[in-house]
Amino acid sequence: MTLPQKSGAPLCIQNNTAVPLASYRLAVKDLFHMAGLPTSAGNPDWLSSHPLPLATSPVVTDLIQHGARFVGKTLTDELAYSLNGQNKHYGTPENPAAPDRLPGGSSSGSATAVSLNLADIGLGTDTGGSIRVPASYQGLFGLRPTHGEISTDHMVALAPSFDTAGVMTRDLTTLENTVAVLLPHLLDTETLPLSLVTNLTDGCGHKEAILQWHETQASLHAELFMPPCELTTEVWQTGETFRVIQGHEIWQQHGHWLSYNRPDIASDIQLRLNSCAALTSHEVTEAKQRREAFNAWFSEVVSNCILVMPTTPGISPLISTPAESLAGYRNQLLSLTSLAGLSGCPQLHLPLFSLHNAPCGLSLLGPRGSDRQLLKIARTLLSGKQQ
């Protein structure tokens, strides 16, 4: 796969102040409030039952104040509670990289805007994978930052202990410049070695591409790599643990509105919302205990290395995939994306591969606060390629 063309921003000066994002166009997912503009959260009943926002998300304000030019709001799956990118009310954004396949959600609109070169920065959110998944499906760079490092004020929440604001771009330079604005307080820390997670790689459709890449990079940058590892995450039931805690928080956030307004919502999302409502306190307590135990173990793992792992099980599913198959695939997908979700760690997707003429890639997942270190490592690994 040929990496996207570089479109780094020249540093402009306004009133003797550096404006690092001055040439970038900004597309904003329709979960972020902007004063005077409606927020629909992907659902017309939400739109009609909520007033116009009076305040703007500090993330949006920060990007615009640093020179980014707002070009429009973008579609999201309803309430951001899907990873497919489909919306029964407003339509499904195109996946320009593979038009017969899903664009990936829930930040599908922002991803497509960037893929079509209608925007340079695609601002989205990531709760269960909504930056990483569309980035993988559309051949973009995407960062889910350390949880809590970027403000989620004035944004429609889904599950607050997992919700993050995140960014997708066509090239690494744009992502580096954007993250420097959003995370100026995070420093480049000492570089940890990289370790390929073999058992997660074995289960993905682009296993051979990852293994070949790993062999090449380990020979070119031997100082960056340590031996591969395995993550025995089954004991914590990471996908199920994430599902239960997320579902509990979703119902806390939106249960009253859903029960009172009875909005028209896509059937697959409605089924998940029904499951949220049916969760018992015992299920939630057990899931929280598993999360605590998982995080104690996982923080030790990533204190010693940065994990190299598939972002998604493979390329995007076909648009024609039956709903039942997509539901099963979602569970497989969450087994990968839930690691960063449960731990709050940053994860960077790199669009390195192509399979059956559709993009896919891998991720670097590091300890909390290592966001800029991940970008620095990516810069080294991609040296010699267009970035």
Side-chain angles (χ1 to χ4, degrees):
M1 174 182 178
T2 301
L3 290 173
Q5 292 293 318
K6 182 175 180 178
S7 61
L11 188 66
C12 296
I13 303 295
Q14 294 179 3
N15 299 322
N16 297 318
T17 302
V19 186
L21 307 183
S23 71
Y24 291 143
R25 298 159 296 168
L26 171 66
V28 177
K29 183 177 183 177
D30 197 17
L31 292 184
F32 294 91
H33 294 316
M34 297 184 69
L37 293 180
T39 304
S40 78
N43 182 272
D45 292 319
W46 179 277
L47 179 64
S48 64
S49 60
H50 289 79
L52 282 178
L54 299 177
T56 298
S57 157
V59 182
V60 176
T61 298
D62 203 14
L63 293 173
I64 292 175
Q65 286 180 344
H66 282 83
R69 177 167 57 90
F70 170 67
V71 294
K73 280 201 156 186
T74 61
L75 285 174
T76 174
D77 301 47
E78 294 175 86
L79 301 182
Y81 196 19
S82 177
L83 293 171
N84 296 333
Q86 298 167 304
N87 189 299
K88 65 173 285 187
H89 306 286
Y90 302 127
T92 299
E94 177 187 356
N95 181 345
D100 58 341
R101 297 183 179 274
L102 294 171
S106 61
S107 304
S108 55
S110 292
T112 293
V114 172
S115 295
L116 288 174
N117 197 20
L118 300 174
D120 304 297
I121 302 170
L123 180 63
T125 63
D126 190 309
T127 302
S130 294
I131 288 288
R132 295 162 286 166
V133 171
S136 178
Y137 289 174
Q138 297 197 37
L140 303 173
F141 291 86
L143 176 70
R144 174 198 164 92
T146 299
H147 183 267
E149 292 292 343
I150 298 177
S151 174
T152 54
D153 293 343
H154 301 294
M155 184 187 94
V156 178
L158 182 63
S161 76
F162 302 116
D163 292 348
T164 61
V167 177
M168 293 169 286
T169 64
R170 291 185 302 279
D171 60 89
L172 186 58
T173 299
T174 303
L175 186 57
E176 289 170 325
N177 291 341
T178 306
V179 170
V181 166
L182 295 177
L183 297 171
H185 55 287
L186 292 184
L187 303 176
D188 292 336
T189 53
E190 182 180 357
T191 300
L192 294 170
L194 305 177
S195 181
L196 177 68
V197 186
T198 54
N199 59 314
L200 298 183
T201 301
D202 287 343
C204 74
H206 51 300
K207 169 186 174 181
E208 295 306 319
I210 293 177
L211 293 178
Q212 183 178 357
W213 174 89
H214 178 263
E215 181 180 357
T216 300
Q217 292 296 328
S219 64
L220 291 173
H221 304 287
E223 74 285 357
L224 288 181
F225 286 84
M226 62 182 287
C229 67
E230 290 192 4
L231 291 183
T232 54
T233 57
E234 292 81 2
V235 65
W236 291 283
Q237 304 171 50
T238 51
E240 177 67 6
T241 298
F242 177 88
R243 183 193 70 81
V244 172
I245 299 174
Q246 181 196 41
H248 173 66
E249 293 185 11
I250 289 171
W251 200 251
Q252 286 183 315
Q253 289 292 316
H254 300 304
H256 175 75
W257 178 78
L258 290 163
S259 300
Y260 181 80
N261 289 275
R262 299 192 177 279
D264 179 17
I265 290 180
S267 57
D268 62 320
I269 297 176
Q270 186 61 59
L271 283 173
R272 290 196 290 277
L273 290 170
N274 294 344
S275 297
C276 296
L279 289 169
T280 67
S281 58
H282 178 69
E283 288 177 297
V284 174
T285 298
E286 282 198 332
K288 288 182 176 180
Q289 290 172 347
R290 287 195 304 269
R291 181 186 193 179
E292 186 176 349
F294 167 78
N295 282 339
W297 169 78
F298 194 70
S299 63
E300 287 295 318
V301 171
V302 293
S303 69
N304 299 313
C305 67
I306 289 171
L307 302 178
V308 179
M309 56 179 284
T311 307
T312 59
I315 59 178
S316 174
L318 293 167
I319 294 173
S320 59
T321 303
E324 299 79 12
S325 298
L326 287 178
Y329 174 80
R330 176 184 172 85
N331 293 331
Q332 186 183 4
L333 186 56
L334 284 176
S335 70
L336 296 173
T337 62
S338 61
L339 301 183
L342 290 169
S343 65
C345 291
Q347 185 172 349
L348 172 65
H349 173 74
L350 304 179
L352 297 175
F353 314 123
S354 179
L355 187 66
H356 306 308
N357 297 315
C360 51
L362 55 77
S363 283
L364 307 179
L365 194 163
R368 292 179 62 90
S370 66
D371 309 54
R372 296 182 74 171
Q373 182 187 155
L374 299 183
L375 291 168
K376 183 178 180 180
I377 293 170
R379 173 64 64 180
T380 299
L381 295 174
L382 294 173
S383 59
K385 292 180 179 290
Q386 293 174 331
Q387 299 168 35

